[in-house]
Amino acid sequence: MTWIEPGPERVASGVHRIALPLPDDGLRAVNVYALSGPGGLSLIDGGWALAESLETLASALCSIGFGLAEIEQCLVTHVHRDHYTQAVTLQREYGTRISLGAGERANLDRVSRMSEAAGDRFVDTMSYLVRCGAGALLAQLAQARHSGDGARDWAPPEHWLADEQQVAAGGRELTVVHTPGHTAGHVVFHDAAAGLLFAGDHVLPHITPSIGFEPVRTAFPLRDYLDSLTLMLKRPDARLLPAHGPVSESVHARVHELLAHHDERLDATEHAVRAGATDAYEAAGLLPWTRRERRLADLDLFNIMLAVSETSAHLDVLVLQGRLRSETVEGVERYWIN
């Protein structure tokens, strides 16, 4: 079976991967993991709050002998909609407990206060785009304001998880590992005894996660992400159970590939500055995007914003490394070869 096909895939004793649909999303599906055992039934991540997704989850659980009401808890890797919002549905309808990394407090607070009609919900994004030199996108972003965030999809968890905390799930003991970068409070769940890593979006087998594009921004999200990748190499290797893509056999092997990718991307970003780019938007316009190496102008608005955000994160790491220098000029962060 391909990884996006519905239905449970047994990936270890008492562990099933369930691919849930996403709405018109380039990622195509999100994996949740059902952990069953003497400790009951737990989920790693919840999926996107969609009727189709909930039906798919119910059908998959039924085929392994469980119902939605039997899900005792949902351990969520991070607060993005495709991981968190269906956990909120389960919480409200069945009393499922939600646990989330403590580093996600600020982002969850911000998104949960965004009403569907909030006229100012893009204010932070607009100011960030100006900082990146992407003021030309503001008119397009303003036109997108009518699409609401669905404030009802958000609710606080019952438990905030701390780094290195031990949690019981489906008869297993999982270690919570704080892995900031994709989001400020992203966590992974390590089952050291079974050699499994429930990696969320931190380590993905086929793509690299977006870096730092979130409501409450951190100063150096790419630095945080690279440090979090290196942290994985300090832990025992494990099978990679990602949120998007198939299960693979080695976290370490993929981490080495991701670190090499970002080294190459840093070099390419520096080259863009040498070629004349002075801000993140200009540099992003000189770089290829996606595995198809598309031009920035060929992407949709959301993915252009992701690309500019990622370029900004790479530029800031180049400044930290002493390869570039930067200065804020009339609200725009400008970069030069050091």
Side-chain angles (χ1 to χ4, degrees), residues 21-337:
L22 297 175
D24 301 320
D25 194 289
L27 294 174
R28 303 178 71 188
V30 60
N31 295 325
V32 304
Y33 294 88
L35 282 59
S36 58
L41 176 66
S42 297
L43 292 186
I44 305 290
D45 282 330
W48 188 308
L50 302 166
E52 180 187 0
S53 177
L54 195 64
E55 291 170 5
T56 301
L57 177 61
S59 176
L61 290 178
C62 181
S63 70
I64 59 174
F66 294 96
L68 294 174
E70 295 176 86
I71 304 170
E72 297 184 358
Q73 64 175 338
C74 190
L75 305 173
V76 184
T77 58
H78 61 295
V79 79
H80 281 168
R81 179 178 289 277
D82 57 328
H83 296 255
Y84 195 77
T85 56
Q86 189 158 266
V88 174
T89 299
L90 294 169
Q91 178 194 59
R92 288 178 174 149
E93 296 189 11
Y94 302 103
T96 305
R97 302 188 311 275
I98 301 176
S99 297
L100 181 68
E104 294 289 62
R105 279 182 185 267
N107 275 318
L108 180 58
D109 180 64
R110 182 67 60 85
V111 297
S112 64
R113 289 187 286 107
M114 294 175 179
S115 71
E116 294 186 6
D120 64 345
R121 67 188 187 89
F122 289 123
V123 168
D124 292 339
T125 301
M126 287 180 168
S127 62
Y128 180 69
L129 290 175
V130 170
R131 185 238 188 214
C132 293
L137 300 178
L138 297 185
Q140 297 178 58
L141 188 61
Q143 291 177 356
R145 286 189 180 190
H146 68 277
S147 58
D149 278 323
R152 180 172 164 74
D153 289 344
W154 308 99
E158 280 77 14
H159 303 289
W160 293 104
L161 301 172
D163 187 31
E164 297 296 333
Q165 179 178 340
Q166 301 295 308
V167 294
R172 300 167 178 271
E173 286 294 320
L174 306 178
T175 301
V176 178
V177 185
H178 182 216
T179 51
H182 179 55
T183 69
H186 192 290
V187 297
V188 300
F189 299 98
H190 187 197
D191 181 348
L196 304 174
L197 186 78
F198 301 92
D201 282 0
H202 181 50
V203 182
L204 299 173
H206 294 155
I207 59 174
T208 60
S210 63
I211 301 298
F213 190 74
E214 50 188 337
V216 180
R217 302 186 189 281
T218 54
F220 297 103
L222 179 61
R223 178 198 61 186
D224 296 342
Y225 180 65
L226 297 176
D227 288 347
S228 296
L229 286 177
T230 301
L231 179 64
M232 295 295 95
L233 299 177
K234 297 178 181 178
R235 305 185 72 89
D237 200 5
R239 292 186 76 201
L240 172 60
L241 278 59
H244 306 283
V247 171
S248 57
E249 294 307 310
S250 172
V251 172
H252 285 187
R254 182 55 179 158
V255 165
H256 284 300
E257 292 175 353
L258 288 167
L259 289 170
H261 164 79
H262 282 288
D263 281 342
E264 294 172 1
R265 202 65 176 174
L266 286 165
D267 289 343
T269 306
E270 180 184 353
H271 181 75
V273 176
R274 291 185 180 276
T278 64
D279 59 46
Y281 186 52
E282 291 176 355
L286 297 179
L287 295 169
W289 295 99
T290 78
R291 286 177 291 175
R292 298 178 181 178
E293 297 196 339
R294 300 171 66 190
R295 296 172 58 250
L296 183 73
D298 295 332
L299 305 179
D300 60 60
L301 176 61
F302 179 71
N303 281 294
I304 288 174
M305 292 191 295
L306 287 180
V308 172
S309 176
E310 181 171 325
T311 304
S312 173
H314 281 79
L315 288 165
D316 289 341
V317 165
L318 289 168
V319 172
L320 288 178
Q321 293 178 346
R323 296 161 66 177
L324 299 180
R325 57 187 174 88
S326 68
E327 180 181 351
T328 303
V329 180
E330 298 181 348
V332 177
E333 197 68 14
R334 301 289 184 182
Y335 300 87
W336 298 271
I337 298 299

